[in-house]
């Protein structure tokens, strides 16, 4: 604690990302990265953009990439905002759409950055408890609020709610912004993007970190009514005119255009997830239905923390959250079939299954 | 104006960066970019980093690059913060060190993003008027305040104040953070970095956008006491865990290590600046003493706006600020000798000099 820190700096508890260890080589299934490399066309596009033009500022309006994303989703360019990962867009959204004194609603078990933003920007929030099976109680989002934030599929549970339920929430919140964080939507869920034309209160946020294998490039985007996009632009342009460098723009553009590669890799991940889930159930695990690139699992006999530690010793890194309600669960990112085989053998040994 | 915007979004006036026109090819000396390409080693390092590891998150602590910067300035790694351009670091600094209700002091004529941040983060500020010759009245920074922000060399004037004067300001503000924005320090000024060991209240911010020819890569850094760096880290980790992508880190690292190229290009810019300044004075221009990669000029007979427009028609883009006190000045970024020759011929024609 330093006397030079602002009151906010003193009061916040920063987000802690999943560890990126360097002590040895792990099977790293703890931060929901893709096990597959980005499309070769991405690598190529970046090499092409890596030239003397790096001396010049990037396009502050990110015009080309926004156009590409707009075309991909059949929207207008002014319905697209591009940011430095979906985390940055979430941070901008708190500033752009939420006010102090009016609580924002989100689930008690969800992406653990949401309450960190709230503390940073002094936005009140109310946690909506998920039910015993981690389902979202829709009606709770009909109460008076200052905004709604839903992660769909949810992290770390992987549970997905259908677009019709999002629509019910939107209908009851026409005066506030409803943000649907779709970081994991490409792994089996249907996006709420189709509701954008009818709901000026809907902002959908996606990322290239997961389904496009580009966690290392830092690109996310938000889709919504042009007034919402303008709100995000106003904040961004009061914060940092250029949050995406030239290389990130080039790579992201190529990624959005390589549909075949995208389909191939995300389908492989879905298939691996389903196979693994089945096998884990057969050896006694509870496995939540997941539409994400991870699964959330629990074993009736062996504590999650012990499995986590046992796996770590075997060189397999999964995510353990020391938090109420979920401390007997592990979040396991879906890797390649080979990686999942190592993981599976490891847990089998740890739980003593034959 | 949308009903979905927060009170802050409604109230702010975003920063407007210098134009990046696409209608035709200009001699672009309006945004203080370097006319020289980045070091070939930067291009090479990026190509090497452009591989399948892009699927993995970058190091959230930016450990390697911080180590490189620390070594360069003979500091410890925990005295270095790295961000997405110095603009992002300035934004984080407002959150990390300033409080509402305690006015931050900065010059009335300086980088025009400072008051934009203040509005975004609801931080009060008091403008310190520069004197007639755009000099900083030191004593004005001795009054009670909530923080001090000094751009040195100043933008858009290019005027530099010596380290001894910064030290006087530091001595009178031991209870607040004094930020010295040294975006342009490499073009002839002496950095205040040498004061860091003795002043726990000093934060120096620099960028790779100008003297390292990397405006398109978005990398800046802050140097100061480890408590200040920890404050910035706390804010960053409550905002976006990864603001630098893998390619930016690799390129920036290579840039900081190619000292020979850095010296060569910045010395060329200094030489061009001095030659041009002399020639402009000879045809009647007032040219402020500059230690930056731009000059700030005014002509006694022809209005700056008319020169700006005349140059634009000739395909030369300079920066005009329609603001009190400086609306008869133009800010001209230093390009290559060839570009400056075109600029010089252009202004000569416009002012009707023989």
């Amino acid at each position: 604690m330093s006397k030079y820190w602002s009151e906010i700096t003193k009061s916040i508890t920063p987000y802690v990302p999943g560890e990126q260890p360097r002590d040895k080589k792990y099977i790293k299934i703890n931060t929901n990265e893709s096990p597959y490399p980005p499309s070769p066309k991405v690598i190529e596009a970046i090499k092409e953009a890596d030239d003397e033009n790096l001396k010049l500022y990037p396009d502050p309006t990110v015009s080309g990439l926004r156009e590409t994303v707009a075309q991909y989703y059949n929207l207008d360019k002014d319905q697209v905002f591009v940011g430095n990962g979906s985390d940055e867009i979430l941070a901008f959204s708190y500033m752009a759409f939420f006010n102090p004194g009016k609580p924002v609603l989100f689930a008690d078990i969800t992406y653990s950055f949401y309450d960190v933003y709230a503390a940073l920007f002094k936005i009140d929030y109310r946690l909506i408890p998920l039910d015993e099976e981690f389902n979202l109680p829709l009606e709770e989002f009909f109460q008076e609020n200052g905004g709604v934030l839903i992660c769909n599929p949810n992290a770390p549970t992987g549970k997905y709610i259908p677009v019709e339920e999002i629509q019910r929430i939107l209908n009851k919140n026409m005066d506030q912004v409803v943000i649907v964080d779709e970081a994991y939507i490409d792994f089996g869920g249907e996006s709420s993007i189709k509701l954008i034309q009818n709901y000026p209160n809907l902002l959908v946020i996606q990322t290239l970190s997961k389904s496009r294998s580009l966690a290392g490039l830092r690109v996310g985007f938000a889709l919504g009514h042009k007034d919402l996009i303008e709100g995000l632009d106003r904040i961004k342009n009061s914060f940092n005119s250029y949050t995406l460098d030239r290389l990130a723009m080039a790579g992201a553009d190529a990624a959005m255009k390589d549909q075949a590669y995208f389909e191939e890799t995300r389908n492989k991940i879905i298939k691996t997830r389903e196979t693994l889930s089945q096998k884990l159930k057969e050896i006694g695990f509870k496995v939540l239905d997941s539409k994400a690139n991870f699964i959330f699992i629990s074993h009736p006999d062996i504590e999650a923390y012990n499995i986590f530690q046992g796996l770590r010793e075997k060189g397999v890194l999964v995510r353990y959250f020391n938090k109420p309600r979920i401390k007997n669960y592990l979040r396991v990112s879906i890797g390649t079939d080979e990686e999942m085989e190592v993981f599976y053998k490891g847990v089998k040994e740890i739980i003593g299954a034959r």
Side-chain angles (χ1 to χ4, degrees), chain A residues 90 94 98 104-107 114 141 147-151 179-181:
Chain A
L90 283 162
Y94 271 69
F98 300 156
V104 172
L105 308 179
F106 50 84
Y114 296 161
F141 290 92
V148 170
L149 191 42
I150 290 175
C151 188
I179 297 177
V180 184
D181 178 352

Side-chain angles (χ1 to χ4, degrees), chain A residues 173-275:
Chain A
N173 288 280
M174 291 305 292
D175 289 332
Q176 298 85 243
V177 176
V178 175
I179 297 177
V180 184
D181 178 352
E182 293 190 340
Y184 302 102
I185 197 68
D186 290 327
F187 301 103
E190 185 192 10
S191 172
S192 293
I193 291 172
K194 67 174 186 180
L195 301 177
I196 284 174
Q197 303 297 7
N198 294 321
Y199 290 90
N201 54 332
L202 169 62
L203 189 78
V204 175
I205 299 181
Q206 294 193 1
T207 175
L208 277 72
S209 295
K210 320 292 182 183
S211 58
R212 308 275 171 179
S213 303
L214 285 172
L217 200 63
R218 316 305 306 128
V219 186
F221 52 86
L223 309 169
H225 188 282
K226 69 179 175 50
D227 287 353
L228 300 189
I229 301 308
E230 189 188 340
L232 287 171
D233 266 328
R234 289 176 68 85
I235 297 293
K236 196 261 301 184
N237 290 326
S238 300
F239 183 90
N240 185 0
S241 308
Y242 318 89
T243 70
L244 258 77
D245 63 57
R246 288 173 169 267
L247 307 166
M249 286 185 206
D253 199 82
M256 294 305 295
K257 284 172 176 162
D258 194 349
Q259 184 66 9
Y261 188 86
F262 163 75
E263 293 288 358
E264 180 196 331
T265 49
R266 73 151 171 185
N267 287 336
K268 276 201 275 192
I269 289 165
I270 292 169
K271 193 162 164 249
T272 304
R273 178 187 71 209
E274 296 307 312
T275 308

Side-chain angles (χ1 to χ4, degrees), chain A residues 97-136:
Chain A
F97 309 121
F98 300 156
N99 289 299
K102 290 188 153 186
V104 172
L105 308 179
F106 50 84
D108 64 338
I109 295 163
T110 189
Y111 184 31
S112 49
F113 221 132
Y114 296 161
D115 56 355
V116 176
Y117 295 127
L120 181 63
F121 299 116
K122 298 194 170 203
I123 301 295
D124 301 309
Y125 62 94
R126 191 173 299 146
L127 296 180
I128 306 299
L130 300 183
D131 73 14
E132 292 290 297
E133 291 300 312
F134 303 119
N135 294 312
L136 204 66

Side-chain angles (χ1 to χ4, degrees), chain A residues 22-179:
Chain A
R22 296 156 161 254
D23 57 334
K24 63 172 183 176
K25 183 108 182 120
Y26 287 92
I27 289 185
K28 201 173 161 303
I29 47 179
N30 69 327
T31 52
N32 297 344
E33 291 144 331
S34 174
Y36 301 108
S39 154
K41 290 178 183 167
V42 169
I43 307 291
E44 198 184 308
I46 291 169
K47 289 204 201 303
E48 260 174 51
D50 176 29
D51 63 15
E52 73 165 68
N53 281 322
L54 285 174
K55 72 184 182 186
L56 303 175
Y57 282 103
D59 171 12
T61 68
V62 201
S63 190
L65 177 54
R66 281 170 57 217
E67 185 63 49
T68 297
V69 173
Q71 278 179 16
Y72 187 87
Y73 286 112
N74 203 18
L75 295 167
D76 293 330
K77 195 171 86 174
D78 61 7
Q79 293 174 302
V80 180
F81 178 87
V82 177
N84 184 288
S86 56
D87 283 348
E88 186 188 69
I89 301 175
L90 283 162
F92 287 159
S93 297
Y94 271 69
M95 288 193 267
F97 309 121
F98 300 156
N99 289 299
K102 290 188 153 186
V104 172
L105 308 179
F106 50 84
D108 64 338
I109 295 163
T110 189
Y111 184 31
S112 49
F113 221 132
Y114 296 161
D115 56 355
V116 176
Y117 295 127
L120 181 63
F121 299 116
K122 298 194 170 203
I123 301 295
D124 301 309
Y125 62 94
R126 191 173 299 146
L127 296 180
I128 306 299
L130 300 183
D131 73 14
E132 292 290 297
E133 291 300 312
F134 303 119
N135 294 312
L136 204 66
L138 275 206
E139 289 72 18
E140 293 295 318
F141 290 92
F142 302 167
Q143 64 182 292
E144 205 180 315
N145 65 68
V148 170
L149 191 42
I150 290 175
C151 188
N152 192 36
N154 197 18
T157 66
K159 284 216 161 185
Y160 166 77
I161 60 170
V163 172
E164 296 67 43
E165 300 192 15
I166 298 290
Q167 191 168 9
R168 284 185 62 199
I169 294 173
L170 285 164
N171 281 329
K172 295 285 189 176
N173 288 280
M174 291 305 292
D175 289 332
Q176 298 85 243
V177 176
V178 175
I179 297 177

